[in-house]
Structure formats: structure tokens, C-alpha cells
Amino acid sequence: MNNFLTLPNGFLFDRFGTTVARLYGIFLYTMGTLMVGFSSSALAYLLFPALSFLAVGGILFLMTNMQVGNLFGSRRSTIITLYNGAFDSSSALFLVIKLLHESGVSLRAAFLFLSACSVVHVLRTFFLLPRNFIPYPLPDRYTYGVSCGKSVTASAEVAANGDVLPATEGTPLKRDAPVNQEKTFRECLLSRFFMWHLLWLSVMQLRHYLFIGTLNPMLQRLTGGEPLLVSRYTNAFAITQLCGVLCAPWNGLIMDRHKGKPRAEGETEQEADLRATVLSLFLTALQCVLFSLCASTPYLPLQYFTFILQVLNRSFLYGGNAAFISVAFPSCHFGKLYGLVMALSAVFSLLQYPCFALVKGPLGGDPLYVNVGLTLLSVVAFIHPVYVYMHCRNLASERARSKASS
């Protein structure tokens, strides 16, 4: 539900803007927390729609929050990856609820409190975020808050008929770029950038899903079924999952490392941003291969390192996914492209089920051969950073040729 419904939610965000998308997300999230709060043994069926509402409402929060990175200029990718890391580690909240429940706080009280906290989301939606979008690059003297989207320069730009030109938050496009330079959604969808990026995400996401799905049987086999050892390693895995918010911004810092430095003559800001993503894409693919190799090695103590690599790679993967889409494609299509790449990668991830059947059936519970195959498949992810690198190098060569001819 989380991945598949990101697609219609992306269209909703791009079509109706921040306020509508967030109010819809707040409604779903609040309904989800209320359903969990009022669930019981007799009303256990409420948990199915409740968890779906929480997931879909949560992805809407993430999608509308990532544009906040546009306010930070030279740290834009860092903020985008930080939000993705926070989303990744959000299960820490349920760990807190679990500990409170063990201390005597009822589940109903905890979830009613979470429902009441939606008031904070509503206030933030109306008083700290724009009605439509936060543009990138920001217009001169752009402000946010109650007067979000107001700009001295923009308000001074009055058309001949007396109407204010829509150059502020109402339009997420780059205001210094002509409209005909923006690619259509179809052109973005059919571009090689999108195709290779989809493959990059899908291959690594499948690897992570397979690892999580076979983790318990793997630990059972490596520990000889010793319950205390299985519990210890499972707890270690659970704790590392909460560290995504700490790991994700490292990827953003890598992507923002060129900001503030002089660009090559004739190089656009988008080209510089795109060139900076190459190292991030390459490191993410390298982490996945190393993680897959460790996961394929039947040596129990090594699995602690596997858990660290897994959460590091996952935080780089999802943060880098959002950051790359925001850099490589027009921001007016961000919601649709982000939703589409998540939905299509979810379709690719359905391959995990025949892999599970293969492990449980012909392979007798031993996932070694499947892990080796997935490790080899992970190497395919290197195509994406190589293609982006070649694209940037070709652009630089064209600039050099045009400069020499002039």
C-alpha cells in the first residue's frame, strides 16, 4: 500500500499542491491512529485499514516535507535525505509506545495522544507551508510562514493587464528558465535517466526485501536454533534499523559537496548537481554489493556488520532516490515521478515471492544460491552512475567544443 499508492498520491500533490495533499495525509493518518486506539480483540479487523492509512498518510507527509530542502540552497540534498532518514527510522516511535505500554500506559491512551498531535500538523500546514509549492531556485527575498510565498521581486512583477505573474510558490518551476526548456512528463518517463534510475532502485530494493524476508530462517540455521542467540541477533537488527536518520544525511552531504564552489564556465547549476550525484549513486551500489556479499556468507558474527551495511545502504538508497529525482527532472513532475518509480519498483519487488518459494522448496531452506544470484544482480546497479557520469562528461565535451569554435 505504501509503495503502490505513492503514485496516485504523487499526482495528487503535483495537481493540487501542498495544502490539499497534507490535509488528505493528516486525515488518513489520524483515522489510522484512531482505529488502532479503538481496536480490540473483537474489533481486530480494524488493524488492516488502520495500518494502511498510517502508511499512506505517512508517505504524503514525507512527499510534502521534502520540498523544505528548497529553502536550504547549498544543503538542499542533505535536508531531503534527512527527511527520508527520519521516515526510515520512524518505527522508533512505536518502540517508545511499546516501552510505555510495558510501563502501564494503555495502547488506547498512546494512540489517542498521537491522534491529538495531528493538530500540530494542521497548524504547520496552514502557517508554515505554502498552499502550492516551495519553488527551486527560490525567488529573491522569498519568505515562508504566515506570508509564505511572498517575495518583493515577485510582487513587483506585474503584467500589462495588472495581474501578478505567478513566479512564486504557485509554480514549482525554475523561474529563470523558459517554459519550453522544461521536459514534459512523458519525456521524463521515457528518458534513459528514468529507466536506469528505476533499475538502480528496483534491484537494490529487491535485495533488501529478500534479506529481511529470509533473516529469521538464516539466523535459525546459523545459530543451530538456539533461542537466546536468535533473540540477540534479532534485537541487534532491530536496533540498527533505528539508525537510518543518522546515516541518511551523509548521502546528502556527498551530493551537496560542490555547492558554494565556482562552477566550470558555461556549466549550469542543474548540471553541477547532476555531476555531484555520480559519487552518491556509485557508493550506494557499492554498499549494496558489499552488504549482499556479507549476507551470503554463512558466518554468524559477520552478521553484525551485515546489519550495519544494510541500514546504511537502505538510508542511502531511499534518500538518494528522492534527491536524484529532484535534481534530474523538473520539479513540477517530482510527485508523479517519485510515486511512479516507487510503484514500479514495488512491482519488481514481487519477484521476492518466487525466490521465497525457491528457498523453501528445491533449496531446502538454504538461501545461499539465491543470495549469490542477487549479489550478481546487484552489480547491474552500477550502470546508472556510469551512465550519469558519461552524460555529464559529454556535456562538458560539448561545452569545450563550442568554446573552441567560438
Side-chain angles (χ1 to χ4, degrees):
M1 294 294 287
N2 189 7
N3 279 16
F4 281 113
L5 289 184
T6 304
L7 177 57
N9 287 340
F11 277 89
L12 175 75
F13 176 49
D14 284 345
R15 176 66 181 85
F16 296 104
T18 302
T19 300
V20 173
R22 282 186 65 85
L23 290 177
Y24 178 53
I26 291 168
F27 169 75
L28 292 178
Y29 177 80
T30 307
M31 287 295 295
T33 52
L34 287 173
M35 283 182 174
V36 175
F38 287 102
S39 64
S40 63
S41 301
L43 300 173
Y45 59 85
L46 286 177
L47 293 176
F48 291 98
L51 296 183
S52 298
F53 285 170
L54 286 175
V56 179
I59 203 70
L60 275 167
F61 284 160
L62 174 64
M63 198 179 297
T64 54
N65 278 335
M66 283 191 287
Q67 64 180 326
V68 172
N70 295 345
L71 296 172
F72 289 83
S74 62
R75 290 288 175 260
R76 181 182 181 225
S77 296
T78 305
I79 300 301
I80 291 174
T81 54
L82 179 63
Y83 270 112
N84 278 271
F87 184 81
D88 200 31
S89 299
S90 58
S91 52
L93 179 62
F94 273 58
L95 178 61
V96 172
I97 291 175
K98 175 180 179 291
L99 295 175
L100 289 174
H101 182 65
E102 292 170 352
S103 301
V105 178
S106 71
L107 201 64
R108 176 167 296 183
F111 276 90
L112 287 178
F113 176 77
L114 283 181
S115 302
C117 286
S118 293
V119 173
V120 177
H121 300 308
V122 173
L123 293 175
R124 182 166 178 261
T125 299
F126 284 111
F127 295 107
L128 280 178
L129 287 171
R131 184 174 60 84
N132 292 323
F133 308 97
I134 299 175
Y136 183 78
L138 288 177
D140 296 335
R141 301 171 74 177
Y142 180 87
T143 60
Y144 61 95
V146 177
S147 58
C148 189
K150 303 297 181 184
S151 166
V152 173
T153 23
S155 59
E157 294 172 2
V158 180
N161 60 3
D163 295 326
V164 177
L165 293 175
T168 55
E169 56 98 355
T171 308
L173 305 180
K174 298 175 181 177
R175 53 195 298 270
D176 58 348
V179 175
N180 59 9
Q181 288 185 5
E182 297 292 353
K183 291 183 178 179
T184 64
F185 176 65
R186 178 183 173 83
E187 288 173 333
C188 294
L189 186 61
L190 298 178
S191 68
R192 292 183 181 179
F193 269 170
F194 183 82
M195 298 298 181
W196 290 127
H197 185 67
L198 175 62
L199 181 65
W200 176 85
L201 175 67
S202 300
V203 165
M204 288 190 278
Q205 183 172 258
L206 176 64
R207 183 66 194 95
H208 282 270
Y209 284 0
L210 257 295
F211 175 74
I212 293 171
T214 58
L215 177 63
N216 193 57
M218 179 191 72
L219 292 178
Q220 291 282 355
R221 193 178 65 260
L222 294 181
T223 60
E226 177 61 39
L228 291 178
L229 269 179
V230 172
S231 177
R232 183 193 305 170
Y233 277 85
T234 304
N235 288 340
F237 175 74
I239 292 170
T240 56
Q241 299 309 295
L242 306 181
C243 298
V245 69
L246 303 177
C247 301
W250 302 350
N251 194 16
L253 290 171
I254 291 172
M255 300 179 79
D256 286 334
R257 70 191 186 282
H258 70 289
K259 298 288 180 69
K261 298 178 182 178
R263 298 196 297 267
E265 186 179 351
E267 184 180 42
T268 64
E269 183 177 1
Q270 185 191 26
E271 187 182 339
D273 289 346
L274 201 57
R275 180 166 45 81
T277 65
V278 173
L279 179 59
S280 168
L281 297 172
F282 176 82
L283 286 177
T284 307
L286 181 62
Q287 289 167 2
C288 186
V289 172
L290 293 175
F291 150 63
S292 191
L293 285 172
C294 291
S296 304
T297 305
Y299 181 57
L300 188 60
L302 182 64
Q303 300 314 308
Y304 286 122
F305 186 58
T306 304
F307 297 159
I308 295 171
L309 282 175
Q310 190 267 342
V311 72
L312 179 66
N313 183 232
R314 193 179 70 177
S315 61
F316 267 58
L317 178 64
Y318 291 112
N321 167 48
F324 179 81
I325 292 173
S326 72
V327 164
F329 303 104
S331 50
C332 58
H333 302 312
F334 175 80
K336 296 186 286 290
L337 291 172
Y338 180 77
L340 187 61
V341 79
M342 293 299 290
L344 292 177
S345 66
V347 174
F348 188 84
S349 297
L350 293 177
L351 290 173
Q352 65 184 298
Y353 295 107
C355 290
F356 288 148
L358 185 63
V359 171
K360 291 179 181 179
L363 297 180
D366 186 359
L368 177 63
Y369 292 110
V370 170
N371 284 335
V372 170
L374 288 173
T375 302
L376 296 175
L377 184 62
S378 300
V379 177
V380 175
F382 284 104
I383 297 175
H384 187 32
V386 169
Y387 178 77
V388 176
Y389 171 77
M390 296 298 294
H391 173 81
C392 293
R393 195 174 72 169
N394 290 339
L395 290 178
S397 300
E398 288 176 9
R399 279 201 316 272
R401 282 196 299 268
S402 63
K403 183 180 178 181
S405 62
S406 62

